Amino acid sequence: MADEPLLTEDDDAEMLEARIDAPGVRLDKALAAAFPTLSRARLQALLAEGAVTRDGQPITSGSAKAQAGLYAVILPPVVPATPLPEAIPLTVLYEDADLIVIDKAPGMAAHPAPGCETGTLVNALLAHCGDSLSGIGGVARPGIVHRLDKDTSGVMVAAKTDRAHQGLSALFATHDIERTYIALTRGAPTPEKGRIQTLIGRSPHDRKKMAVLKGGGREAVTDYVVQKTFGQPAKASGAPMAARIACTLHTGRTHQIRVHMASKGSPLLGDPVYGSGSPATPVRTAVAEAGLTRQALHAAVLGFVHPVTGEALRFETAPPEDMRRLEELLAEL
């Protein structure tokens, strides 16, 4: 899940950090001295894109006076300047002159990145939409206003015009979007229904991972409901072997559901990053038999007001075959 400004959400983005203690100096000048490999103009652009933080809080004005603190600059990975159209089949749920809604298959990245320059949703959209998509939202990521992780399946919307891009970006910025995901987890969180409200930011131990933080980071809010449990424990006080969870997002932080479920002791099945600890043997067997090779997460519901027509739109899709098959096998435990 990733509905924040895209430049701060790349798993492969490079992060530079430096401590600045130069009160009274113009911020962009202080940053240029702290990060000599970046030009002042480049730093001003990164500030405007929300890619600079002080003690974990985004800052955007280069003309302001510098304050002492730990500054971080996130550099987006270098991607091809112009992605090429590719005739990749898409499951289109809705399309008009301004936007397109698709049911993204697992394994498809939203946009090109190092090591994944082709086969992305952007490549598919360029072929499907033609010239109407060119340059909308930026050359490297035309039309993309939010993204799902590569191995997360489900409903995504992309813009085909500037007015739709601006309107959708505003909706995601204010979290005025209905978003519900289905997750299959190891064990089950307690209580069975609740709200997880934390700060999420880069892990201080592994900069490629996100983590729940005590300070810094950004607010992340997830409501969850345990819909089903599988493999009931022998003791009444024990936890089930696995569960199906409905997660509703009120913010869109990087890896939010994956981090929040792991923080509750119920990481997503198949999650290669946050799935610490091993499921019970019957669950591992079911995962293998179902052919699940990714985190068991599906963006099931996306609802929003059309930014151009004002029409209320809502889309709902079922999880793909690997998650459906795994749930069937778990139900037999």
Short mmCIF file of all heavy atoms in Angstrom, two decimals, residues 202-261:
data_model
loop_
_atom_site.label_atom_id
_atom_site.label_comp_id
_atom_site.label_asym_id
_atom_site.label_seq_id
_atom_site.Cartn_x
_atom_site.Cartn_y
_atom_site.Cartn_z
N ARG A 202 11.09 4.52 8.50
CA ARG A 202 12.17 3.60 8.18
C ARG A 202 12.73 2.97 9.45
O ARG A 202 12.92 3.65 10.46
CB ARG A 202 13.28 4.33 7.44
CG ARG A 202 12.88 4.88 6.10
CD ARG A 202 12.92 3.85 5.01
NE ARG A 202 12.29 4.33 3.77
CZ ARG A 202 12.19 3.61 2.67
NH1 ARG A 202 12.67 2.37 2.64
NH2 ARG A 202 11.59 4.10 1.60
N SER A 203 12.98 1.68 9.40
CA SER A 203 13.54 0.99 10.55
C SER A 203 14.95 1.50 10.82
O SER A 203 15.76 1.59 9.89
CB SER A 203 13.58 -0.52 10.30
OG SER A 203 14.37 -1.17 11.27
N PRO A 204 15.27 1.83 12.07
CA PRO A 204 16.63 2.27 12.37
C PRO A 204 17.65 1.15 12.24
O PRO A 204 18.85 1.41 12.17
CB PRO A 204 16.51 2.75 13.83
CG PRO A 204 15.35 2.01 14.39
CD PRO A 204 14.39 1.85 13.24
N HIS A 205 17.17 -0.09 12.17
CA HIS A 205 18.06 -1.25 12.08
C HIS A 205 18.23 -1.74 10.65
O HIS A 205 19.23 -2.41 10.34
CB HIS A 205 17.53 -2.38 12.96
CG HIS A 205 17.25 -1.97 14.36
ND1 HIS A 205 18.23 -1.57 15.24
CD2 HIS A 205 16.06 -1.86 15.03
CE1 HIS A 205 17.69 -1.24 16.40
NE2 HIS A 205 16.38 -1.41 16.31
N ASP A 206 17.27 -1.45 9.77
CA ASP A 206 17.32 -1.89 8.38
C ASP A 206 16.58 -0.86 7.54
O ASP A 206 15.35 -0.83 7.53
CB ASP A 206 16.68 -3.27 8.23
CG ASP A 206 16.77 -3.82 6.81
OD1 ASP A 206 17.10 -3.05 5.89
OD2 ASP A 206 16.50 -5.02 6.63
N ARG A 207 17.32 -0.02 6.81
CA ARG A 207 16.72 1.10 6.10
C ARG A 207 15.83 0.66 4.95
O ARG A 207 15.09 1.47 4.38
CB ARG A 207 17.80 2.05 5.58
CG ARG A 207 18.73 2.57 6.65
CD ARG A 207 17.98 3.29 7.77
NE ARG A 207 17.40 4.55 7.36
CZ ARG A 207 16.70 5.34 8.15
NH1 ARG A 207 16.46 4.99 9.40
NH2 ARG A 207 16.22 6.48 7.71
N LYS A 208 15.86 -0.61 4.57
CA LYS A 208 14.98 -1.09 3.51
C LYS A 208 13.62 -1.53 4.06
O LYS A 208 12.72 -1.86 3.30
CB LYS A 208 15.64 -2.25 2.76
CG LYS A 208 16.81 -1.81 1.87
CD LYS A 208 17.32 -2.96 1.05
CE LYS A 208 18.42 -2.52 0.10
NZ LYS A 208 17.92 -1.64 -0.96
N LYS A 209 13.49 -1.56 5.40
CA LYS A 209 12.24 -1.97 6.02
C LYS A 209 11.57 -0.79 6.71
O LYS A 209 12.22 0.17 7.10
CB LYS A 209 12.51 -3.08 7.05
CG LYS A 209 13.00 -4.38 6.48
CD LYS A 209 13.31 -5.39 7.57
CE LYS A 209 12.10 -5.78 8.39
NZ LYS A 209 12.39 -6.86 9.35
N MET A 210 10.28 -0.90 6.87
CA MET A 210 9.53 0.05 7.67
C MET A 210 9.31 -0.57 9.05
O MET A 210 9.38 -1.78 9.23
CB MET A 210 8.20 0.40 7.00
CG MET A 210 8.31 0.82 5.55
SD MET A 210 9.41 2.24 5.28
CE MET A 210 8.39 3.55 5.98
N ALA A 211 9.00 0.29 10.03
CA ALA A 211 8.81 -0.21 11.38
C ALA A 211 7.91 0.73 12.17
O ALA A 211 7.77 1.91 11.83
CB ALA A 211 10.17 -0.35 12.09
N VAL A 212 7.30 0.20 13.23
CA VAL A 212 6.58 1.03 14.19
C VAL A 212 7.62 1.74 15.04
O VAL A 212 8.52 1.11 15.60
CB VAL A 212 5.65 0.17 15.07
CG1 VAL A 212 5.10 0.99 16.22
CG2 VAL A 212 4.50 -0.39 14.23
N LEU A 213 7.52 3.06 15.13
CA LEU A 213 8.50 3.87 15.84
C LEU A 213 7.86 4.54 17.05
O LEU A 213 6.67 4.83 17.05
CB LEU A 213 9.08 4.94 14.91
CG LEU A 213 9.71 4.46 13.60
CD1 LEU A 213 10.16 5.66 12.77
CD2 LEU A 213 10.89 3.53 13.87
N LYS A 214 8.69 4.82 18.05
CA LYS A 214 8.21 5.56 19.22
C LYS A 214 8.23 7.06 18.97
O LYS A 214 7.48 7.82 19.57
CB LYS A 214 9.07 5.21 20.43
CG LYS A 214 8.92 3.77 20.90
CD LYS A 214 9.75 3.50 22.14
CE LYS A 214 9.56 2.07 22.62
NZ LYS A 214 10.40 1.77 23.82
N GLY A 215 9.11 7.50 18.07
CA GLY A 215 9.21 8.92 17.72
C GLY A 215 9.60 9.05 16.27
O GLY A 215 10.21 8.15 15.69
N GLY A 216 9.25 10.17 15.66
CA GLY A 216 9.51 10.33 14.24
C GLY A 216 8.53 9.53 13.42
O GLY A 216 7.50 9.04 13.92
N GLY A 217 8.81 9.37 12.14
CA GLY A 217 7.88 8.64 11.28
C GLY A 217 6.61 9.44 11.04
O GLY A 217 6.53 10.63 11.34
N ARG A 218 5.59 8.76 10.53
CA ARG A 218 4.33 9.41 10.23
C ARG A 218 3.19 8.58 10.80
O ARG A 218 3.28 7.35 10.89
CB ARG A 218 4.16 9.59 8.72
CG ARG A 218 5.31 10.37 8.08
CD ARG A 218 5.12 10.55 6.60
NE ARG A 218 4.05 11.50 6.31
CZ ARG A 218 3.66 11.82 5.08
NH1 ARG A 218 4.25 11.27 4.04
NH2 ARG A 218 2.69 12.70 4.90
N GLU A 219 2.11 9.25 11.15
CA GLU A 219 0.98 8.55 11.75
C GLU A 219 0.40 7.54 10.77
O GLU A 219 0.22 7.83 9.59
CB GLU A 219 -0.11 9.54 12.17
CG GLU A 219 -1.26 8.86 12.89
CD GLU A 219 -2.38 9.82 13.27
OE1 GLU A 219 -2.76 10.65 12.42
OE2 GLU A 219 -2.85 9.74 14.41
N ALA A 220 0.09 6.36 11.30
CA ALA A 220 -0.51 5.30 10.50
C ALA A 220 -1.68 4.71 11.27
O ALA A 220 -1.53 4.34 12.44
CB ALA A 220 0.52 4.23 10.18
N VAL A 221 -2.84 4.63 10.62
CA VAL A 221 -4.06 4.17 11.29
C VAL A 221 -4.71 3.06 10.46
O VAL A 221 -5.04 3.26 9.28
CB VAL A 221 -5.07 5.32 11.49
CG1 VAL A 221 -6.30 4.80 12.25
CG2 VAL A 221 -4.42 6.48 12.23
N THR A 222 -4.88 1.90 11.08
CA THR A 222 -5.52 0.75 10.44
C THR A 222 -6.60 0.20 11.35
O THR A 222 -6.35 -0.08 12.53
CB THR A 222 -4.51 -0.38 10.17
OG1 THR A 222 -3.42 0.11 9.41
CG2 THR A 222 -5.16 -1.54 9.43
N ASP A 223 -7.83 0.06 10.85
CA ASP A 223 -8.87 -0.68 11.55
C ASP A 223 -8.87 -2.11 11.03
O ASP A 223 -8.70 -2.33 9.82
CB ASP A 223 -10.25 -0.05 11.29
CG ASP A 223 -10.43 1.26 12.03
OD1 ASP A 223 -9.71 1.51 13.01
OD2 ASP A 223 -11.30 2.05 11.62
N TYR A 224 -9.05 -3.07 11.93
CA TYR A 224 -9.04 -4.46 11.48
C TYR A 224 -10.18 -5.24 12.13
O TYR A 224 -10.66 -4.90 13.22
CB TYR A 224 -7.70 -5.14 11.80
CG TYR A 224 -7.50 -5.41 13.28
CD1 TYR A 224 -7.92 -6.61 13.86
CD2 TYR A 224 -6.90 -4.45 14.10
CE1 TYR A 224 -7.75 -6.84 15.21
CE2 TYR A 224 -6.72 -4.68 15.45
CZ TYR A 224 -7.16 -5.88 16.01
OH TYR A 224 -7.01 -6.12 17.35
N VAL A 225 -10.60 -6.30 11.45
CA VAL A 225 -11.62 -7.21 11.96
C VAL A 225 -11.20 -8.63 11.60
O VAL A 225 -10.88 -8.91 10.44
CB VAL A 225 -13.01 -6.93 11.34
CG1 VAL A 225 -14.02 -7.94 11.86
CG2 VAL A 225 -13.48 -5.52 11.65
N VAL A 226 -11.17 -9.51 12.59
CA VAL A 226 -10.90 -10.93 12.31
C VAL A 226 -12.18 -11.53 11.75
O VAL A 226 -13.19 -11.64 12.46
CB VAL A 226 -10.47 -11.67 13.59
CG1 VAL A 226 -10.26 -13.15 13.29
CG2 VAL A 226 -9.20 -11.05 14.16
N GLN A 227 -12.15 -11.91 10.48
CA GLN A 227 -13.35 -12.46 9.84
C GLN A 227 -13.49 -13.96 10.06
O GLN A 227 -14.58 -14.47 10.23
CB GLN A 227 -13.33 -12.14 8.34
CG GLN A 227 -13.44 -10.66 8.02
CD GLN A 227 -13.50 -10.41 6.54
OE1 GLN A 227 -12.84 -11.09 5.74
NE2 GLN A 227 -14.28 -9.42 6.14
N LYS A 228 -12.36 -14.67 10.02
CA LYS A 228 -12.37 -16.12 10.22
C LYS A 228 -11.07 -16.53 10.91
O LYS A 228 -10.05 -15.87 10.75
CB LYS A 228 -12.46 -16.87 8.88
CG LYS A 228 -13.71 -16.62 8.06
CD LYS A 228 -13.63 -17.41 6.75
CE LYS A 228 -14.82 -17.14 5.86
NZ LYS A 228 -14.72 -17.86 4.55
N THR A 229 -11.13 -17.62 11.67
CA THR A 229 -9.91 -18.21 12.21
C THR A 229 -9.82 -19.65 11.75
O THR A 229 -10.84 -20.29 11.45
CB THR A 229 -9.88 -18.14 13.75
OG1 THR A 229 -11.03 -18.83 14.27
CG2 THR A 229 -9.86 -16.70 14.23
N PHE A 230 -8.59 -20.16 11.70
CA PHE A 230 -8.36 -21.51 11.19
C PHE A 230 -7.43 -22.26 12.14
O PHE A 230 -6.51 -21.68 12.71
CB PHE A 230 -7.70 -21.44 9.80
CG PHE A 230 -8.42 -20.54 8.84
CD1 PHE A 230 -7.93 -19.27 8.55
CD2 PHE A 230 -9.58 -20.95 8.20
CE1 PHE A 230 -8.57 -18.44 7.66
CE2 PHE A 230 -10.24 -20.11 7.31
CZ PHE A 230 -9.74 -18.85 7.04
N GLY A 231 -7.70 -23.56 12.31
CA GLY A 231 -6.86 -24.37 13.17
C GLY A 231 -6.99 -23.95 14.62
O GLY A 231 -6.07 -23.36 15.18
N GLN A 232 -8.11 -24.24 15.21
CA GLN A 232 -8.36 -23.80 16.58
C GLN A 232 -7.37 -24.44 17.55
O GLN A 232 -7.00 -25.61 17.39
CB GLN A 232 -9.79 -24.15 17.00
CG GLN A 232 -10.84 -23.46 16.14
CD GLN A 232 -10.65 -21.95 16.10
OE1 GLN A 232 -10.39 -21.32 17.11
NE2 GLN A 232 -10.75 -21.37 14.91
N PRO A 233 -6.92 -23.69 18.54
CA PRO A 233 -5.91 -24.20 19.48
C PRO A 233 -6.49 -25.27 20.39
O PRO A 233 -7.70 -25.33 20.62
CB PRO A 233 -5.52 -22.96 20.28
CG PRO A 233 -6.74 -22.08 20.22
CD PRO A 233 -7.34 -22.32 18.87
N ALA A 234 -5.58 -26.10 20.92
CA ALA A 234 -6.02 -27.15 21.84
C ALA A 234 -6.52 -26.56 23.15
O ALA A 234 -7.44 -27.06 23.77
CB ALA A 234 -4.88 -28.12 22.10
N LYS A 235 -5.89 -25.44 23.57
CA LYS A 235 -6.30 -24.77 24.80
C LYS A 235 -7.15 -23.56 24.48
O LYS A 235 -6.90 -22.85 23.50
CB LYS A 235 -5.07 -24.35 25.60
CG LYS A 235 -4.19 -25.51 26.05
CD LYS A 235 -3.00 -25.00 26.84
CE LYS A 235 -2.12 -26.16 27.30
NZ LYS A 235 -0.95 -25.67 28.07
N ALA A 236 -8.14 -23.33 25.32
CA ALA A 236 -9.06 -22.21 25.08
C ALA A 236 -8.33 -20.87 25.07
O ALA A 236 -8.75 -19.92 24.41
CB ALA A 236 -10.17 -22.20 26.13
N SER A 237 -7.23 -20.78 25.81
CA SER A 237 -6.50 -19.52 25.90
C SER A 237 -5.50 -19.32 24.76
O SER A 237 -4.89 -18.26 24.66
CB SER A 237 -5.76 -19.45 27.24
OG SER A 237 -4.84 -20.54 27.34
N GLY A 238 -5.33 -20.35 23.94
CA GLY A 238 -4.34 -20.26 22.87
C GLY A 238 -4.85 -19.51 21.65
O GLY A 238 -6.03 -19.17 21.55
N ALA A 239 -3.95 -19.28 20.71
CA ALA A 239 -4.31 -18.58 19.47
C ALA A 239 -4.57 -19.58 18.36
O ALA A 239 -3.98 -20.67 18.34
CB ALA A 239 -3.18 -17.63 19.07
N PRO A 240 -5.42 -19.24 17.40
CA PRO A 240 -5.61 -20.11 16.24
C PRO A 240 -4.33 -20.14 15.41
O PRO A 240 -3.44 -19.31 15.57
CB PRO A 240 -6.76 -19.44 15.49
CG PRO A 240 -6.70 -18.01 15.91
CD PRO A 240 -6.23 -18.02 17.33
N MET A 241 -4.26 -21.10 14.49
CA MET A 241 -3.06 -21.22 13.65
C MET A 241 -2.97 -20.09 12.62
O MET A 241 -1.89 -19.65 12.25
CB MET A 241 -3.05 -22.56 12.93
CG MET A 241 -2.89 -23.77 13.82
SD MET A 241 -2.81 -25.28 12.82
CE MET A 241 -2.83 -26.52 14.12
N ALA A 242 -4.13 -19.65 12.14
CA ALA A 242 -4.15 -18.63 11.09
C ALA A 242 -5.48 -17.91 11.11
O ALA A 242 -6.42 -18.34 11.79
CB ALA A 242 -3.90 -19.26 9.71
N ALA A 243 -5.56 -16.82 10.36
CA ALA A 243 -6.80 -16.05 10.34
C ALA A 243 -6.93 -15.28 9.03
O ALA A 243 -5.94 -15.03 8.33
CB ALA A 243 -6.85 -15.07 11.51
N ARG A 244 -8.17 -14.93 8.71
CA ARG A 244 -8.48 -14.02 7.61
C ARG A 244 -8.89 -12.69 8.25
O ARG A 244 -9.82 -12.65 9.06
CB ARG A 244 -9.61 -14.56 6.74
CG ARG A 244 -10.11 -13.55 5.68
CD ARG A 244 -11.32 -14.12 4.95
NE ARG A 244 -12.03 -13.08 4.23
CZ ARG A 244 -12.22 -13.07 2.91
NH1 ARG A 244 -11.73 -14.03 2.15
NH2 ARG A 244 -12.90 -12.10 2.34
N ILE A 245 -8.20 -11.62 7.88
CA ILE A 245 -8.41 -10.32 8.49
C ILE A 245 -8.83 -9.31 7.42
O ILE A 245 -8.25 -9.28 6.33
CB ILE A 245 -7.11 -9.79 9.15
CG1 ILE A 245 -6.42 -10.88 9.97
CG2 ILE A 245 -7.39 -8.56 9.99
CD1 ILE A 245 -7.16 -11.32 11.18
N ALA A 246 -9.84 -8.50 7.73
CA ALA A 246 -10.20 -7.35 6.88
C ALA A 246 -9.57 -6.11 7.50
O ALA A 246 -9.82 -5.80 8.67
CB ALA A 246 -11.71 -7.20 6.78
N CYS A 247 -8.74 -5.42 6.73
CA CYS A 247 -8.05 -4.23 7.20
C CYS A 247 -8.51 -3.01 6.41
O CYS A 247 -8.43 -3.00 5.18
CB CYS A 247 -6.54 -4.39 7.05
SG CYS A 247 -5.82 -5.74 8.01
N THR A 248 -8.98 -2.00 7.12
CA THR A 248 -9.40 -0.75 6.49
C THR A 248 -8.38 0.33 6.79
O THR A 248 -8.07 0.59 7.96
CB THR A 248 -10.79 -0.32 6.99
OG1 THR A 248 -11.74 -1.33 6.64
CG2 THR A 248 -11.21 1.00 6.37
N LEU A 249 -7.86 0.95 5.74
CA LEU A 249 -6.82 1.96 5.90
C LEU A 249 -7.43 3.35 6.07
O LEU A 249 -8.33 3.74 5.33
CB LEU A 249 -5.90 1.98 4.68
CG LEU A 249 -5.01 0.77 4.46
CD1 LEU A 249 -4.12 1.00 3.24
CD2 LEU A 249 -4.16 0.48 5.67
N HIS A 250 -6.90 4.09 7.03
CA HIS A 250 -7.23 5.51 7.18
C HIS A 250 -6.04 6.39 6.83
O HIS A 250 -6.17 7.62 6.76
CB HIS A 250 -7.71 5.79 8.60
CG HIS A 250 -8.97 5.06 8.94
ND1 HIS A 250 -10.21 5.42 8.47
CD2 HIS A 250 -9.17 3.93 9.68
CE1 HIS A 250 -11.12 4.59 8.92
NE2 HIS A 250 -10.51 3.67 9.65
N THR A 251 -4.89 5.76 6.63
CA THR A 251 -3.71 6.41 6.09
C THR A 251 -3.09 5.43 5.11
O THR A 251 -3.50 4.27 5.05
CB THR A 251 -2.69 6.75 7.20
OG1 THR A 251 -2.37 5.55 7.92
CG2 THR A 251 -3.23 7.80 8.16
N GLY A 252 -2.10 5.88 4.36
CA GLY A 252 -1.53 5.01 3.35
C GLY A 252 -0.02 4.96 3.41
O GLY A 252 0.66 5.31 2.46
N ARG A 253 0.52 4.50 4.53
CA ARG A 253 1.97 4.45 4.69
C ARG A 253 2.55 3.22 4.01
O ARG A 253 1.87 2.21 3.83
CB ARG A 253 2.37 4.46 6.17
CG ARG A 253 1.74 5.57 6.98
CD ARG A 253 1.95 6.94 6.38
NE ARG A 253 1.28 7.98 7.15
CZ ARG A 253 0.81 9.10 6.65
NH1 ARG A 253 0.93 9.34 5.35
NH2 ARG A 253 0.23 10.00 7.41
N THR A 254 3.82 3.32 3.66
CA THR A 254 4.49 2.21 3.01
C THR A 254 4.42 0.95 3.88
O THR A 254 4.76 0.98 5.06
CB THR A 254 5.96 2.56 2.75
OG1 THR A 254 6.02 3.74 1.96
CG2 THR A 254 6.68 1.44 2.02
N HIS A 255 3.92 -0.15 3.29
CA HIS A 255 3.84 -1.45 3.97
C HIS A 255 2.99 -1.39 5.23
O HIS A 255 3.17 -2.20 6.16
CB HIS A 255 5.24 -1.98 4.32
CG HIS A 255 6.13 -2.18 3.14
ND1 HIS A 255 7.47 -2.47 3.26
CD2 HIS A 255 5.88 -2.12 1.81
CE1 HIS A 255 8.01 -2.58 2.06
NE2 HIS A 255 7.07 -2.37 1.17
N GLN A 256 2.02 -0.49 5.28
CA GLN A 256 1.30 -0.24 6.53
C GLN A 256 0.66 -1.49 7.12
O GLN A 256 0.84 -1.79 8.31
CB GLN A 256 0.23 0.84 6.31
CG GLN A 256 -0.59 1.16 7.56
CD GLN A 256 -1.49 2.36 7.38
OE1 GLN A 256 -1.09 3.36 6.78
NE2 GLN A 256 -2.72 2.28 7.88
N ILE A 257 -0.11 -2.22 6.33
CA ILE A 257 -0.80 -3.39 6.87
C ILE A 257 0.20 -4.46 7.27
O ILE A 257 0.07 -5.10 8.33
CB ILE A 257 -1.81 -3.94 5.85
CG1 ILE A 257 -2.98 -2.95 5.68
CG2 ILE A 257 -2.33 -5.32 6.26
CD1 ILE A 257 -3.95 -3.33 4.57
N ARG A 258 1.22 -4.66 6.46
CA ARG A 258 2.23 -5.67 6.77
C ARG A 258 2.93 -5.36 8.09
O ARG A 258 3.15 -6.25 8.91
CB ARG A 258 3.23 -5.76 5.61
CG ARG A 258 2.58 -6.19 4.30
CD ARG A 258 3.48 -5.93 3.10
NE ARG A 258 4.68 -6.76 3.13
CZ ARG A 258 5.66 -6.64 2.23
NH1 ARG A 258 5.59 -5.73 1.28
NH2 ARG A 258 6.71 -7.44 2.31
N VAL A 259 3.26 -4.09 8.30
CA VAL A 259 3.93 -3.68 9.54
C VAL A 259 2.97 -3.76 10.73
O VAL A 259 3.33 -4.27 11.80
CB VAL A 259 4.49 -2.25 9.40
CG1 VAL A 259 5.01 -1.72 10.73
CG2 VAL A 259 5.60 -2.21 8.36
N HIS A 260 1.74 -3.29 10.54
CA HIS A 260 0.79 -3.28 11.65
C HIS A 260 0.41 -4.70 12.08
O HIS A 260 0.33 -4.99 13.29
CB HIS A 260 -0.45 -2.48 11.27
CG HIS A 260 -0.33 -1.03 11.59
ND1 HIS A 260 -1.25 -0.08 11.18
CD2 HIS A 260 0.60 -0.35 12.32
CE1 HIS A 260 -0.88 1.11 11.63
NE2 HIS A 260 0.23 0.97 12.33
N MET A 261 0.17 -5.59 11.14
CA MET A 261 -0.18 -6.96 11.53
C MET A 261 1.00 -7.64 12.21
O MET A 261 0.82 -8.38 13.20
CB MET A 261 -0.62 -7.76 10.30
CG MET A 261 -2.00 -7.39 9.78
SD MET A 261 -3.34 -7.77 10.95
CE MET A 261 -3.67 -6.15 11.65
#
